[in-house]
Amino acid sequence: MPNEVRIDKWIWAMRIFKTRTLATEECKKGRVTIGLENPVAAKPSRTIKVGDVVNVKKPPVTYSFRVKALTENRLGAKLVPEYLENITPKEQYDLLDVVRISGFVDRRKGLGRPTKREGRELNRFVEDSYSDFWFMDDDESDMD
């Protein structure tokens, strides 16, 4: 097992990005950082060691992973937990849920009509939002 591995190879091997080219491009764009307290942007050739914390920005969420072991070869999905520990804060996942739901309310132009699934989720969201409100009580309607 190597002592140090290039960060672009490692994040590709851990299946964070689908291709190594994507991993390299994200490093060049500054979306991959190393460090927990004071994150530093990582160039694709930057080497990492066991114990380092790697932060990956996939808007709107920033995922954090602690390096448990190193490899340069792509692994099966079942083996990935042996090589990294996901330490992403729960707030980041909550943000992902908020963005997923708000995507229906503020739909960008050009995305077309919502799919059936998106429509059902939107209806569920709207029903949950208004379930606590009452607009007119039945007793009040009899007063007219």
Side-chain angles (χ1 to χ4, degrees):
M1 201 178 322
N3 292 336
E4 293 183 341
V5 174
R6 287 175 54 120
I7 191 161
D8 62 338
K9 284 186 180 183
W10 188 81
I11 59 177
W12 165 75
M14 295 298 106
R15 299 180 167 268
I16 298 169
F17 292 107
K18 201 170 193 175
T19 66
R20 183 156 169 225
T21 304
L22 278 174
T24 303
E25 288 173 3
E26 295 301 306
C27 288
K28 287 180 181 176
K29 290 178 183 176
R31 294 184 179 155
V32 178
T33 58
I34 297 176
L36 192 58
E37 296 296 322
N38 297 320
V40 177
K43 292 182 181 180
S45 61
R46 171 85 184 257
T47 57
I48 58 172
K49 297 174 275 198
V50 174
D52 286 346
V53 175
V54 177
N55 303 306
V56 180
K57 291 180 191 171
K58 286 187 173 183
V61 179
T62 301
Y63 298 96
S64 299
F65 305 102
R66 186 177 318 277
V67 179
K68 290 170 69 175
L70 299 173
T71 184
E72 291 182 347
N73 301 326
R74 193 151 170 103
L75 302 170
K78 290 182 179 181
L79 298 175
V80 169
E82 297 173 12
Y83 289 81
L84 66 83
E85 176 186 359
N86 188 348
I87 57 171
T88 306
K90 186 177 180 335
E91 297 83 36
Q92 293 293 320
Y93 289 113
D94 293 342
L95 179 64
L96 189 62
D97 289 339
V98 168
V99 169
R100 183 175 51 90
I101 291 170
S102 69
F104 303 117
V105 177
D106 185 25
R107 195 166 178 88
R108 290 187 318 209
K109 187 175 181 178
L111 290 180
R113 292 178 54 175
T115 63
K116 281 185 177 181
R117 180 180 179 190
E118 292 171 339
R120 286 191 303 266
E121 289 177 354
L122 178 60
N123 287 340
R124 232 178 278 127
F125 174 71
V126 171
E127 288 171 5
D128 290 345
S129 297
Y130 291 112
S131 64
D132 296 335
F133 297 125
W134 56 271
F135 293 100
M136 194 158 112
D137 200 4
D138 291 337
D139 296 335
E140 293 175 4
S141 61
D142 295 337
M143 293 181 157
D144 291 334

